[in-house]
């Protein structure tokens, strides 16, 4: 099993050149019909946060895998799929060709989202199925 841990994942991104505004990260921000350039910036920032030296050390996994994403955060009123869905999309797109041969269902057979209360942390585990 491969385990990647990310401390203090961002919960919002500031956008706007003159008047800064915060966009809270999650699928709801994408569904809200934001400008494509803001969406591109969100994805770029999340991929930069996720990129780590372990990517090159892992090598290309050719067999099917399960990807588990655990979001650690204090208990509040938020939706797990809203947060983890966006992180999953960005991680799989980033890992395509780096960790997985592709991110389609031939190679990524299962996605699991999990919540654990605690200090802000994102944990991504990859294991064969």
């Amino acid at each position: 099993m491969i385990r990647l841990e990310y401390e203090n994942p961002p919960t919002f991104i500031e956008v706007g050149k003159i008047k800064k505004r915060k966009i809270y990260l999650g699928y709801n921000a994408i569904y809200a019909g934001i400008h494509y350039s803001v969406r591109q910036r969100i994805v770029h920032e999340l991929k930069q946060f996720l990129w780590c030296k372990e990517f090159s050390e892992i090598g290309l996994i050719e067999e099917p895998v399960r990807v588990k994403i655990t979001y650690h955060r204090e208990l509040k009123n938020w939706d797990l799929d809203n947060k983890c869905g966006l992180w999953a999309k960005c991680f799989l797109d980033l890992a395509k060709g780096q960790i997985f041969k592709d991110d389609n269902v031939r190679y990524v057979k299962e996605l699991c989202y999990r919540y654990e209360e605690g200090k802000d942390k994102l944990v991504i585990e990859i294991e064969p199925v």
Side-chain angles (χ1 to χ4, degrees):
M1 179 179 60
I2 297 163
R3 182 179 169 98
L4 302 169
E5 289 191 29
Y6 301 91
E7 298 288 331
N8 300 312
T11 56
F12 67 88
I13 186 171
E14 288 187 354
V15 296
K17 292 180 182 177
I18 298 170
K19 186 178 178 185
K20 297 283 184 186
R21 67 181 176 116
K22 291 180 181 179
I23 294 183
Y24 288 89
L25 298 174
Y27 265 142
N28 288 344
I30 305 300
Y31 283 130
I34 59 175
H35 193 269
Y36 75 91
S37 65
V38 175
R39 185 175 57 248
Q40 286 176 333
R41 177 152 178 218
I42 289 171
V43 170
H44 175 75
E45 295 281 332
L46 294 184
K47 285 180 179 180
Q48 277 193 312
F49 179 80
L50 290 169
W51 180 257
C52 59
K53 64 181 174 77
E54 286 85 2
F55 271 54
S56 58
E57 295 170 0
I58 293 169
L60 197 61
I61 301 170
E62 302 218 15
E63 67 267 3
V65 297
R66 169 186 303 119
V67 177
K68 295 181 188 178
I69 297 178
T70 306
Y71 200 90
H72 297 254
R73 193 156 186 223
E74 66 179 85
L75 187 58
K76 292 200 176 184
N77 190 19
W78 51 272
D79 297 342
L80 184 63
D81 63 328
N82 186 33
K83 295 288 185 192
C84 287
L86 185 57
W87 284 109
K89 177 66 176 156
C90 290
F91 175 76
L92 293 175
D93 286 350
L94 184 63
K96 180 180 174 179
Q98 300 287 326
I99 297 177
F100 315 120
K101 193 169 186 178
D102 203 336
D103 63 347
N104 63 34
V105 293
R106 284 188 179 162
Y107 301 99
V108 180
K109 296 280 188 182
E110 185 178 335
L111 284 172
C112 300
Y113 302 153
R114 179 180 168 87
Y115 164 76
E116 289 189 17
E117 191 169 356
K119 185 177 149 188
D120 287 4
K121 179 170 56 171
L122 186 68
V123 177
I124 300 173
E125 297 172 313
I126 304 163
E127 58 187 22
V129 284

